[in-house]
Amino acid sequence: KKRRKMASKWRNQASGLRRTHKERGQPENRKRFGLLEKKKDYKKRSSAFKKTQQQLRALKEKAYFKNPDEFYSGMINSTTVNGEHIRKRKKTVHTKKQLDNMKMQDLKYLQYKLAVEQSKIVKLRKNMHCIDDSSNQNNHTVFVDTEEEVKNFKPEEYFDTPKELLGQKSNRVKKSQLKEDGFVRGATGEQDIQKAKKQMKRNYQELTDRIDRSNKLSGMADQLVVETKLKSKEEKVVVGQDSKGKDIYKWKVSRKL
């Protein structure tokens, strides 16, 4: 036992004293060829090359012995265009009930995405400074002299405020205030002011994009609702056209049992 212990101890010490041989690098006059390839690298490259050649030989042999009169059922629904194999897809015919279910699923998805966007808009408005979440439904009436002024009236120019803040009943920020350096609250220096202004600009841009997306989703959802109602047998009348030239319908009120 003592001999075995001594032998193992000496073996462990000898292994620690062995010299670690470094791999030879690429000679200076061959630096342009990159790293020096070792045997393990050559073996990987050689095996990959041989595997590729074997696959090519198998494909050539298969093509050589192919019967030109060969036929199988897959040829009916496939074709070759410029050497590329394309499989023909059968046209799926959906029933009226299936189409109605698909449209209902689309409508539910649009309503879900619309609710998500509206909740994000409310959250973004709460987080932005100088923007309150007032639920007051008071109206601001502006009096003008002529009908032409009514047609050309632009509230964002009249109130001198961004379009996104027109719904605010209080703390409505003016464009001139946004340009002032001292308007940013909590700023102690020029760097803080510039940083806060950039963040505020990003917030306003995100709010504008989300409002536009919300309006588009709402329009798409309304369009699906109208298409669904038009297919029903309820009595309807065209009462006019919208700004895009589309008909506006009005349905007869009926009691649903």
Side-chain angles (χ1 to χ4, degrees):
K1 291 183 179 179
K2 287 183 178 181
R3 287 182 179 178
R4 288 181 181 176
K5 285 184 180 180
M6 289 295 291
S8 62
K9 188 177 181 180
W10 170 251
R11 189 164 53 249
N12 293 336
Q13 287 181 348
S15 64
L17 296 173
R18 289 197 190 99
R19 182 177 178 180
T20 304
H21 295 278
K22 297 180 180 179
E23 291 185 348
R24 185 166 66 89
Q26 186 75 279
E28 191 67 29
N29 60 343
R30 292 178 56 86
K31 287 284 185 183
R32 62 185 183 277
F33 298 118
L35 297 173
L36 181 65
E37 187 181 44
K38 307 299 186 294
K39 186 172 182 179
K40 59 181 180 180
D41 303 325
Y42 166 76
K43 287 174 72 176
K44 287 182 181 178
R45 185 167 61 84
S46 176
S47 61
F49 177 77
K50 288 178 181 178
K51 186 177 180 182
T52 305
Q53 292 299 317
Q54 189 176 0
Q55 289 176 347
L56 288 173
R57 280 197 298 269
L59 290 172
K60 286 179 180 178
E61 186 178 354
K62 188 176 181 180
Y64 181 79
F65 289 106
K66 182 181 177 182
N67 182 8
D69 299 328
E70 183 181 358
F71 175 80
Y72 58 96
S73 58
M75 291 179 176
I76 300 172
N77 297 321
S78 62
T79 183
T80 305
V81 180
N82 296 328
E84 184 180 357
H85 183 264
I86 298 174
R87 188 171 183 83
K88 297 177 184 177
R89 294 186 177 181
K90 294 181 180 179
K91 292 184 178 179
T92 54
V93 180
H94 299 287
T95 61
K96 184 178 180 298
K97 189 174 182 180
Q98 288 176 333
L99 292 173
D100 292 342
N101 290 335
M102 289 178 186
K103 283 201 172 184
M104 187 58 64
Q105 289 176 357
D106 294 342
L107 179 60
K108 288 181 179 179
Y109 177 75
L110 288 174
Q111 290 173 346
Y112 162 71
K113 296 298 289 184
L114 179 61
V116 171
E117 286 296 330
Q118 288 175 346
S119 64
K120 287 183 178 179
I121 289 170
V122 172
K123 187 177 180 181
L124 190 60
R125 277 179 170 163
K126 283 182 180 179
N127 293 334
M128 291 172 68
H129 72 284
C130 293
I131 297 182
D132 58 0
D133 189 35
S134 175
S135 58
N136 192 4
Q137 298 297 324
N138 294 336
N139 295 323
H140 190 150
T141 306
V142 179
F143 295 93
V144 292
D145 297 330
T146 61
E147 290 289 337
E148 187 177 353
E149 291 182 5
V150 174
K151 292 179 180 178
N152 299 329
F153 181 75
K154 295 182 179 179
E156 59 270 17
E157 293 181 2
Y158 180 82
F159 294 111
D160 190 27
T161 187
K163 193 174 180 180
E164 297 80 22
L165 299 179
L166 289 174
Q168 295 301 122
K169 304 298 185 294
S170 61
N171 292 332
R172 189 187 290 135
V173 184
K174 294 187 176 181
K175 293 179 181 178
S176 56
Q177 288 178 312
L178 292 174
K179 295 178 182 178
E180 296 176 4
D181 292 344
F183 177 73
V184 182
R185 298 176 181 177
T188 56
E190 182 67 24
Q191 189 175 0
D192 293 338
I193 291 173
Q194 294 300 328
K195 189 176 180 180
K197 287 171 81 173
K198 285 182 181 178
Q199 182 63 37
M200 182 166 51
K201 188 176 180 181
R202 283 195 293 267
N203 290 343
Y204 278 114
Q205 186 62 42
E206 184 182 355
L207 180 61
T208 305
D209 294 340
R210 290 198 179 279
I211 290 173
D212 292 341
R213 197 178 299 123
S214 175
N215 293 335
K216 288 179 182 178
L217 288 170
S218 178
M220 292 167 68
D222 293 342
Q223 183 67 24
L224 276 177
V225 171
V226 171
E227 288 178 4
T228 305
K229 281 192 172 183
L230 285 174
K231 290 184 178 180
S232 64
K233 297 181 180 179
E234 298 179 8
E235 295 183 14
K236 55 186 176 294
V237 179
V238 179
V239 295
Q241 291 184 340
D242 58 4
S243 58
K244 296 181 180 179
K246 295 181 179 180
D247 295 334
I248 300 174
Y249 297 91
K250 187 175 181 180
W251 277 265
K252 184 179 180 181
V253 180
S254 59
R255 180 180 291 179
K256 294 182 179 180
L257 300 176

